[in-house]
Amino acid sequence: MENMISHTNELVEKARRGDKDAQNDILETYAPFVKKIVRYYGILLNREDREDLFIEGLLALIRSINSYNQHKGNFDDLTFIAIRNAILDYMRKRRTEKPLEEYYEDKFDIEEYITLKTEIEEFEQALTPMEKQVFALYLEGRKIGEIAEFIGKSYKSVDNAMQRIKKRASEFFKK
């Protein structure tokens, strides 16, 4: 774990000094993380708006690189907060551009939302209580180590739970 943090800190320092390869490595590494956050917060938005949120998230990631100070905390945690806040700010700003009713009329498909919500609820019924808790925390953007610490379980048991959840999700959503 210490090696991974050290490697991340080295990459961030190189990127801050203008190393484009280091910046690209960070962007490639964290792009799936940004997508997860966008998928979570942008579930009710159309594809174009989710793409806008993704770009906002990447911009927040770049700003995190430039402003990161390793003495003020973990890069992953600070970056998650910066990306989440940038996405939420962007969504708030978009809502105020026109009346709220128009925003949801254009973007919100109630049938799709109900179908998705029903599918997720059905999927969660197949999970054990611990898996439900791990799944909920994972959707919040927490990492396995953080989840393990939060619920008081070993890293390995949470990792195993995540593997079971992923397998069940793969099987469930193939239907």
Side-chain angles (χ1 to χ4, degrees):
M1 180 74 172
E2 187 71 32
N3 262 348
M4 192 167 65
I5 292 172
S6 175
H7 177 70
T8 301
N9 288 342
E10 286 177 33
L11 270 179
V12 171
E13 270 309 306
K14 287 180 182 179
R16 288 179 65 168
R17 289 189 302 250
D19 184 333
K20 293 296 179 191
D21 290 334
Q23 186 178 29
N24 287 336
D25 286 349
I26 293 170
L27 289 172
E28 284 180 27
T29 301
Y30 285 86
F33 179 64
V34 174
K35 284 182 183 177
K36 285 180 188 177
I37 296 170
V38 168
R39 194 170 42 237
Y40 181 77
Y41 287 104
I43 194 168
L44 301 179
L45 302 177
N46 65 30
R47 188 174 59 88
E48 291 84 13
D49 286 339
R50 284 192 307 270
E51 288 172 2
D52 289 345
L53 287 180
F54 180 68
I55 291 168
E56 287 295 319
L58 289 178
L59 291 171
L61 174 58
I62 292 168
R63 286 190 299 271
S64 290
I65 292 169
N66 294 328
S67 65
Y68 178 62
N69 178 344
Q70 64 183 335
H71 302 292
K72 291 191 177 182
N74 180 305
F75 181 75
D76 290 347
D77 295 340
L78 298 173
T79 299
F80 169 75
I81 292 167
I83 293 168
R84 182 194 63 200
N85 289 347
I87 287 170
L88 292 174
D89 287 346
Y90 183 81
M91 290 174 67
R92 276 188 224 103
K93 187 179 358 170
R94 289 281 304 197
R95 279 193 200 126
T96 60
E97 290 176 2
K98 60 182 175 177
L100 195 58
E101 305 82 44
E102 288 180 32
Y103 182 82
Y104 283 108
E105 284 174 12
D106 292 346
K107 311 287 190 265
F108 186 72
D109 181 348
I110 188 72
E111 290 175 13
E112 182 180 336
Y113 173 74
I114 290 172
T115 301
L116 179 62
K117 188 172 189 265
T118 303
E119 287 177 357
I120 290 172
E121 287 171 353
E122 287 174 13
F123 170 69
E124 286 179 333
Q125 295 304 312
L127 301 176
T128 66
M130 180 186 157
E131 290 169 346
K132 285 179 188 177
Q133 187 178 24
V134 168
F135 184 59
L137 293 168
Y138 182 76
L139 288 177
E140 289 178 7
R142 296 183 189 221
K143 294 185 176 199
I144 293 173
E146 295 171 17
I147 295 170
E149 187 176 317
F150 185 80
I151 66 173
K153 300 283 184 178
S154 73
Y155 181 94
K156 188 64 180 163
S157 72
V158 173
D159 184 50
N160 288 340
M162 279 304 304
Q163 298 310 314
R164 289 190 305 271
I165 291 166
K166 288 176 182 177
K167 184 178 178 189
R168 284 189 183 136
S170 174
E171 293 168 357
F172 183 86
F173 291 106
K174 278 184 183 176
K175 293 181 190 178

